Amino acid sequence: MFVRAYLRASTKEQDANRAKGDLLAFAKERGLQIAATYLENESGASLARPELFRLLSDCQPGDILLIEQVDRLSRLNGTDWNKLKDEIRGRRIKVVALDLPTSWGMASENADEFTSRMADAINSMMLDMIAAIARKDYEDRRRRQRQGIAKAKGEGKYRGRPEDKTRNKAIQLMLNGGQSWNTIISATRCSRSTLARLAKRPLGKE
């Protein structure tokens, strides 16, 4: 059984590595060692997360996917959450979250079959509940954000986020130089949507 830690933050401005110490401490308390850590800055509301799926493909049946909070794994809508769950179940991976005590028993190799099956059933139900709460929280925050922007626009106060022109020009030069999208994203930490927009923009245009 290998333990694989998954660390995620939504934007490059956030520190996805922040919870690594807590995950290491949790594993150490249980006599476990984290075999690999997978780190990325992507939205939890999107299934487009290369590092998460690299982790899943590296797992063997019985391996542990260790996370700080369930929302690090999912702020997905119901359809996408079911797709991710099916992938996890199909690979027989155990999900252990620090904010989900019912999952902690799954980090033990000594549990008998009955206890393991009961823990898996309870944990699956709790994961569904917390993932649904995380999604609702995400949608509520997005709605409040839209309302705030609409109010600011109505009052003539909204200016939007200023464009990082220096970075975007460098990205355009990398694109024109034939650099791959993955290389550019790794080097600049820009999003794919930003990269797609800049790929369509003539060099020198703003």
Side-chain angles (χ1 to χ4, degrees), residues 143-180:
R143 185 182 67 254
R144 289 194 295 269
Q145 183 183 50
R146 289 194 298 269
Q147 289 170 343
I149 290 172
K151 181 180 178 182
K153 284 181 176 179
E155 296 172 351
K157 298 177 181 179
Y158 182 71
R159 297 292 181 270
R161 182 183 296 178
E163 180 178 350
D164 188 338
K165 295 179 180 180
T166 301
R167 185 204 65 169
N168 288 350
K169 184 176 181 180
I171 290 172
Q172 286 185 284
L173 290 171
M174 293 172 76
L175 284 166
N176 284 8
Q179 295 288 328
S180 71

Side-chain angles (χ1 to χ4, degrees), residues 21-32 66 96-98 104 107:
D22 290 339
L23 297 184
L24 288 169
F26 177 88
K28 185 177 180 180
E29 286 173 3
R30 288 155 180 78
L32 301 172
L66 182 63
V96 176
L98 271 58
W104 296 356

Side-chain angles (χ1 to χ4, degrees), residues 2-19:
F2 288 102
V3 180
R4 303 181 187 275
Y6 178 64
L7 298 160
R8 181 193 67 76
S10 298
T11 69
K12 66 178 182 179
E13 289 80 16
Q14 297 173 338
D15 183 12
N17 218 19
R18 173 189 52 79

Side-chain angles (χ1 to χ4, degrees), residues 17 29 41 64 82 111 170 181 191 193 195 201:
N17 218 19
E29 286 173 3
N41 290 86
I64 290 174
N82 285 331
W181 280 33
S191 66
S193 59
L195 195 53
R201 179 190 294 179

Side-chain angles (χ1 to χ4, degrees), residues 1-6 23 26 32 52 55-56 58-68 70 73 81 84-98 100 102-121 123-124 127:
M1 178 180 71
F2 288 102
V3 180
R4 303 181 187 275
Y6 178 64
L23 297 184
F26 177 88
L32 301 172
L52 174 58
L55 182 156
L56 297 179
D58 288 346
C59 281
Q60 298 296 318
D63 282 357
I64 290 174
L65 164 54
L66 182 63
I67 49 178
E68 177 200 14
V70 175
L73 185 63
W81 171 234
L84 180 56
K85 276 199 308 180
D86 288 345
E87 183 75 16
I88 292 170
R89 286 173 176 167
R91 294 180 179 274
R92 292 166 55 198
I93 298 167
K94 302 174 183 177
V95 177
V96 176
L98 271 58
L100 186 58
T102 57
S103 70
W104 296 356
M106 302 182 74
S108 172
E109 294 184 283
N110 301 319
D112 57 55
E113 182 182 357
F114 174 78
T115 301
S116 295
R117 290 179 64 183
M118 286 295 294
D120 183 55
N123 196 47
S124 179
L127 276 172

